[in-house]
Amino acid sequence: MAETKQADERSPRTDFDSLAGDYAKFRTSYSDALFDAILAYARIGAGARVLDLACGTGLGMLAYVKRGFDVVGVDVAAAMMEQAAAAMPAGARVEFVHGRAEALPCVEASFDLVSCAQAFHWFEPRAAFAECARVLRPGGTLAIFWKHAARDDAFTHVSEQIIREWMGEQAAVASRDHAAEHESGWPVFWEYVARPGSHLGERPFVDGEQIVIEFELQRTVDEFVGYQRSREKIRTVMGDRRMEFLSELARRLAATHRDARVTQRQIQYAFLARKRTS
């Protein structure tokens, strides 16, 4: 049964709560192949404990629940967790706790896998990596992943072009997800994770690995505009012009695609590591 706990009253208030409805309606999950790869690396089976870090509306959590894991979701946005709880199947072994990645409300060495989907870029990395190491058992797995539309995606191109025309190149770049950083191998990750066979130093994680898995996602114009409406980056970059931007995006896309479903090529970047045992 889904349960929600209040664990840290000092957690800073964010604006993700206001996006929860659109997030639940228009955000999509990840490929089965991605979760299969994560679990093959983790070498854990049903009944293991998974922490879904910044669980949001539960898109990543569902994949673990359906595979028989006990899952704890942590997020700063209560409205997001309410959406997640409503999406869980009957009998799911899940729990929701309000908290931040930099100060997790969890006891040490209590999880076999810490999973974070599409969110780690919001965290202060030093504190977040330290907390992930603290709550993982020795040898436990850290899996951090994102998905991005391919560079040649027509819908994304139109979205960025509007921002570029209205607010300049810097705003267009700021509106993006972190695809460039992940394409380059996410250098921050390797500050805390040792590659196989490399010198460990003080890094808390070993056996670092990056995997890239592509899949296809179909969307209508309305679904893509809804996705953009759910994005915190669009809210912050566009400010008072956010709704005007969304209307213009819908108008331009409808002029070229109308009611068609467009196939978007999505690229998933996953970064995997194990907590060192000594």
Side-chain angles (χ1 to χ4, degrees):
M1 179 179 180
E3 179 183 357
T4 302
K5 292 182 179 178
Q6 189 75 15
D8 185 1
E9 295 294 343
R10 297 170 297 173
S11 295
R13 184 174 180 83
T14 71
D15 290 308
F16 287 101
D17 284 293
S18 66
L19 303 175
D22 284 328
Y23 208 104
K25 184 175 182 180
F26 295 110
R27 290 294 181 111
T28 58
S29 190
Y30 309 83
S31 70
D32 285 340
L34 174 64
F35 291 106
D36 290 344
I38 290 171
L39 294 174
Y41 176 95
R43 299 194 292 268
I44 56 176
R49 297 194 78 223
V50 176
L51 175 63
D52 188 4
L53 184 56
C55 64
T57 58
L59 290 173
M61 177 181 289
L62 272 171
Y64 298 116
V65 168
K66 292 176 179 178
R67 287 166 169 80
F69 295 100
D70 296 341
V71 186
V72 176
V74 173
D75 205 287
V76 297
M80 289 280 192
M81 291 191 289
E82 289 172 5
Q83 293 281 353
M88 292 298 114
R93 299 193 301 273
V94 299
E95 178 184 341
F96 296 93
V97 182
H98 188 269
R100 297 184 295 114
E102 299 87 350
L104 289 171
C106 308
V107 300
E108 63 183 44
S110 56
F111 292 98
D112 302 290
L113 167 65
V114 173
S115 177
C116 182
Q118 211 82 11
F120 211 91
H121 53 278
W122 294 110
F123 310 150
E124 194 289 306
R126 179 180 296 276
F129 275 105
E131 280 293 271
C132 288
R134 182 181 67 81
V135 303
L136 275 169
R137 63 168 177 79
T141 294
L142 174 64
I144 304 170
F145 52 96
W146 291 265
K147 70 172 185 291
H148 306 293
R151 292 287 189 175
D152 58 358
D153 178 63
F155 279 10
T156 303
H157 177 76
V158 172
S159 176
E160 290 189 4
Q161 183 60 30
I162 296 169
I163 299 172
R164 186 175 294 108
E165 291 172 7
W166 290 9
M167 305 179 70
E169 181 64 25
Q170 186 174 353
V173 171
S175 74
R176 294 174 185 161
D177 287 324
H178 296 251
E181 189 175 359
H182 304 143
E183 289 167 352
S184 67
W186 194 26
V188 169
F189 181 72
W190 304 105
E191 295 179 19
Y192 304 93
V193 178
R195 299 178 188 273
S198 68
H199 176 65
L200 301 184
E202 298 298 319
R203 288 173 289 193
F205 293 97
V206 298
D207 296 338
E209 183 176 328
Q210 177 185 358
I211 59 175
V212 180
I213 299 175
E214 295 189 18
F215 75 112
E216 292 183 342
L217 175 67
Q218 289 196 331
R219 276 190 172 126
T220 64
V221 168
D222 287 346
E223 288 167 343
F224 181 75
V225 173
Y227 161 71
Q228 292 292 343
R229 191 167 62 243
S230 78
R231 295 185 62 220
E232 174 71 359
K233 280 187 173 292
I234 291 297
R235 191 194 65 77
T236 55
V237 169
M238 300 309 299
D240 292 341
R241 302 194 72 182
R242 173 172 171 259
M243 297 310 296
E244 182 186 2
F245 160 76
L246 293 169
S247 295
E248 177 64 10
L249 177 61
R251 186 190 69 79
R252 293 194 191 186
L253 292 179
T256 55
H257 294 86
R258 297 185 185 277
D259 296 324
R261 295 190 70 82
V262 172
T263 298
Q264 292 185 300
R265 186 163 60 93
Q266 300 280 315
I267 305 175
Q268 301 165 123
Y269 297 88
F271 298 84
L272 310 176
R274 293 187 178 90
K275 179 180 175 178
R276 60 190 296 173
T277 55
S278 62

